[in-house]
Amino acid sequence: MNSLTPLKLILVLFACGLCGALGGYYAASFSPIPAQIAVVDVSALVMKAVEKNATQTEDDAKALTARVKATTDKLVQRGIVVLDAQSVLNAPEEAYVSIE
């Protein structure tokens, strides 16, 4: 009968833990890190709204601002930094937030 002594068991568990840690490190080193920054193009939103309705009222502007704030507040609660597109030099396409 082949039994594991406590020392052999500890060595096997240590080897398994080491292999798991190395495998996790290897997998993490090749995984892309998602951007923690979201970009909102407020100017484009305003221009889009003005194009749709040339008689843009102050209430419409306030409604648009409220929608932008509601959308960005959800992102901020998840720990994402939100920037205006005018201050971003370059960002991946998925960093831009669409506001409906």
Side-chain angles (χ1 to χ4, degrees), residues 1 8 12 14 28 32 44 49 51 56 59 61-62 68 73 79 89 91-92:
M1 183 166 108
K8 286 182 183 177
V12 168
F14 178 74
E51 286 174 3
Q56 184 75 18
D59 291 336
K62 287 181 181 178
V68 169
D73 281 346
L89 296 177

Side-chain angles (χ1 to χ4, degrees), residues 35-40 65-83 97-100:
Q36 293 298 309
I37 295 176
V39 179
V40 177
T65 304
R67 282 198 317 247
V68 169
K69 179 143 179 60
T71 303
T72 57
D73 281 346
K74 293 175 190 173
L75 296 171
V76 170
Q77 289 173 358
R78 293 183 1 215
I80 297 174
V81 177
V82 180
L83 300 174
V97 177
S98 70
I99 297 176
E100 302 298 324

Side-chain angles (χ1 to χ4, degrees), residues 15-25:
C16 289
L18 183 62
C19 288
L22 289 175
Y25 176 76

Side-chain angles (χ1 to χ4, degrees), residues 33-71:
I33 299 172
Q36 293 298 309
I37 295 176
V39 179
V40 177
D41 195 349
V42 177
S43 295
L45 290 172
V46 170
M47 293 302 270
K48 190 176 179 183
V50 169
E51 286 174 3
K52 287 183 179 179
N53 183 5
T55 59
Q56 184 75 18
T57 65
E58 187 176 334
D59 291 336
D60 292 337
K62 287 181 181 178
L64 176 62
T65 304
R67 282 198 317 247
V68 169
K69 179 143 179 60
T71 303

